[in-house]
Amino acid sequence: MYDILTLNKIAACGTDNFDSKYNVSDSAADPDAILVRSAKMHDMEFGKKLLAIGRAGAGVNNIPVDKCAEQGIVVFNTPGANANAVKELVLTALLISSRRVPDAMVWAQSLKGNGDEVGAMVEKGKSQFVGPEIAGKTLGIIGLGAIGGLVANAAVALGMNVVGFDQFLSVNAALHLDPRVKTVSDPKDVYSVSDYVTIHVPYNPQTKGTVNADVISIMKDGARLINLARGELVDTAALLPALESGKIAAYVCDFPSEEILGVKNVIALPHLGASTPEAEDNCAVMAAKELIDYIENGNIRNSVNFPNASMQASGTKIVVLHKNVPSVISKVTDVLGSAGINIENMVNASKKEYACTLIDACGDIHSDIADKLGAVENVIRVRVIG
Ligand code: MLT
């Protein structure tokens, strides 16, 4: 029996994937795996049994990813599972920031109590909320992954010119882009021409303050900025004077902070990007399936700290998580060879400092083989499945 700990409410269509081999609860004391949405895990101590964490969502800044890798805990996320939900909120952000919808709604409500005068007051006061159409304007997109790509194509369909930058643009993502989306190799060529800029990159130490004073200085006067990715991607200290001067006409942010709340032309949303039933279901199902495939088969798909690695095994599968350094694989195969174990198939993959080797092994596999492999220098964790 495997224990799955849920740290947030996870959609039932996701947890339903765990069959009778699993016990899913929000109180497991020593879980084999954890399912999480946005709960902060940086201060958590992880038990020795913990194999994996499934993040039902894209961002993993609530999880100590490197610490997990050191402890042989594979962290999964669900890229793309909530992309449509976020895309739809970006389109909402484009339109409401352009047409000044939030301020206009508040103003319209303020007319209550004026009886028959309301109609006339509306017609007299509405000019203060005039805002441009988005058709024919330029949308700049920083990050053309699952979300950025969908936003790009939808914006083209709405008649916008779209220019995007992605340092790590994958072939797959590029193939799915509408040919009318212009990609550039320097983000300055996005910021300098865009009437609207939207950011779709993960938050990490390298991307902190992606939109800073230098970037703002090259943006068009009156540009609108949309950040539904993570608050820290925008340098608030640089943003506030730009909002004050009108250099930035509006800032839509899904991650409000004390500094931006109540500031004129800020539209603050309460992290609603993925808050749709469809996205919650998609993320929960994808995260659960990733955990199950890893727990039962040792296959890794969509991990943020270990490489993708999958293999069908005809014999016993040995999963070795290790550092991505020379001679680990030869030492592992030496241990198996010395124990009279034949390797039928083997897959090795690496991601930055970490690697995974999956071995389909045949022979008399003694129970101490995991300990012997675990003693190899730079091996982090070993599992024998089957
Ligand atoms: C994500 O990272 O997937 C989105 O911000 C939504 C969420 O945090 O669940």
Side-chain angles (χ1 to χ4, degrees):
M1 184 70 96
Y2 299 107
D3 288 312
I4 308 292
L5 172 67
T6 55
L7 289 183
N8 298 98
K9 195 170 179 316
I10 306 289
C13 61
T15 51
D16 286 351
N17 284 272
F18 295 103
D19 63 18
S20 57
K21 295 191 291 302
Y22 294 87
N23 178 27
V24 182
S25 82
D26 59 7
S27 59
D30 190 14
D32 296 277
I34 295 176
L35 262 175
V36 63
R37 284 176 60 189
S38 52
K40 302 250 177 300
M41 301 182 71
H42 285 276
D43 296 331
M44 277 180 78
E45 289 298 322
F46 301 125
K48 289 223 170 330
K49 256 175 73 188
L50 187 68
L51 294 172
I53 296 170
R55 155 82 166 109
V60 288
N61 55 315
N62 56 323
I63 303 171
V65 170
D66 292 333
K67 175 174 128 182
C68 288
E70 286 296 327
Q71 297 181 19
I73 300 164
V74 181
V75 179
F76 296 89
N77 70 346
T78 59
N82 57 24
N84 189 64
V86 182
K87 173 201 82 179
E88 290 188 6
L89 199 65
V90 174
L91 298 179
T92 309
L94 277 171
L95 293 164
I96 65 172
S97 63
S98 243
R99 304 294 289 274
R100 312 200 46 200
V101 171
D103 285 348
M105 287 172 67
V106 171
W107 179 76
Q109 287 294 334
S110 75
L111 302 180
K112 187 159 174 64
N114 287 286
D116 292 346
E117 297 302 307
V118 169
M121 293 174 86
V122 162
E123 293 311 318
K124 190 156 180 254
K126 70 180 185 182
S127 60
Q128 60 188 308
F129 302 109
V130 167
E133 298 179 20
I134 60 170
K137 306 299 184 318
T138 298
L139 172 66
I141 305 181
I142 302 296
L144 291 166
I147 298 169
L150 289 184
V151 170
N153 293 351
V156 166
L158 288 169
M160 300 189 82
N161 308 309
V162 179
V163 55
F165 167 80
D166 192 324
Q167 200 180 350
F168 307 105
L169 184 64
S170 71
V171 174
N172 190 40
L175 284 173
H176 283 89
L177 280 182
D178 186 297
R180 288 168 287 181
V181 174
K182 181 177 171 199
T183 56
V184 293
S185 54
D186 185 340
K188 285 190 187 130
D189 295 332
V190 171
Y191 294 116
S192 60
V193 300
S194 299
D195 303 295
Y196 303 79
V197 172
T198 183
I199 315 165
H200 299 286
V201 295
Y203 169 58
N204 56 45
Q206 287 73 45
T207 59
K208 183 172 180 188
T210 291
V211 178
N212 52 31
D214 290 344
V215 162
I216 290 171
S217 72
I218 58 170
M219 285 172 75
K220 284 175 81 168
D221 288 345
R224 290 171 169 80
L225 177 63
I226 298 168
N227 174 16
L228 307 189
R230 286 294 179 268
E232 296 87 342
L233 294 168
V234 173
D235 177 354
T236 309
L239 176 73
L240 291 176
L243 281 164
E244 174 71 30
S245 70
K247 170 82 185 169
I248 302 283
Y251 177 53
V252 188
C253 181
D254 210 13
F255 299 88
S257 64
E258 184 64 29
E259 293 77 29
I260 65 165
L261 285 174
V263 172
K264 190 159 179 274
N265 295 327
V266 167
I267 300 173
L269 303 171
H271 195 186
L272 290 181
S275 292
T276 68
E278 295 86 353
E280 288 178 6
D281 287 359
N282 289 343
C283 289
V285 169
M286 193 165 163
K289 287 186 172 170
E290 289 166 353
L291 288 181
I292 292 167
D293 199 21
Y294 180 62
I295 292 169
E296 297 186 14
N297 308 311
N299 293 329
I300 300 179
R301 277 178 305 139
N302 296 325
S303 168
V304 293
N305 58 357
F306 282 94
N308 283 344
S310 297
M311 187 180 70
Q312 295 274 7
S314 50
T316 299
K317 195 184 251 184
I318 303 177
V319 183
V320 186
L321 302 179
H322 54 94
K323 295 271 181 71
N324 182 22
V325 294
S327 80
V328 178
I329 299 171
S330 61
K331 288 178 187 157
V332 164
T333 57
D334 277 354
V335 169
L336 294 176
S338 307
I341 294 169
N342 188 46
I343 296 174
E344 299 286 327
N345 283 302
M346 188 162 91
V347 165
N348 170 263
S350 65
K351 183 171 189 148
K352 296 184 184 160
E353 306 100 278
Y354 298 97
C356 173
T357 300
L358 300 177
I359 298 165
D360 181 6
C362 269
D364 187 10
I365 298 175
H366 294 286
S367 54
D368 64 350
I369 200 70
D371 292 338
K372 286 188 175 155
L373 290 171
V376 171
E377 192 182 4
N378 290 314
V379 165
I380 300 170
R381 186 168 203 164
V382 177
R383 273 198 305 144
V384 178
I385 303 173

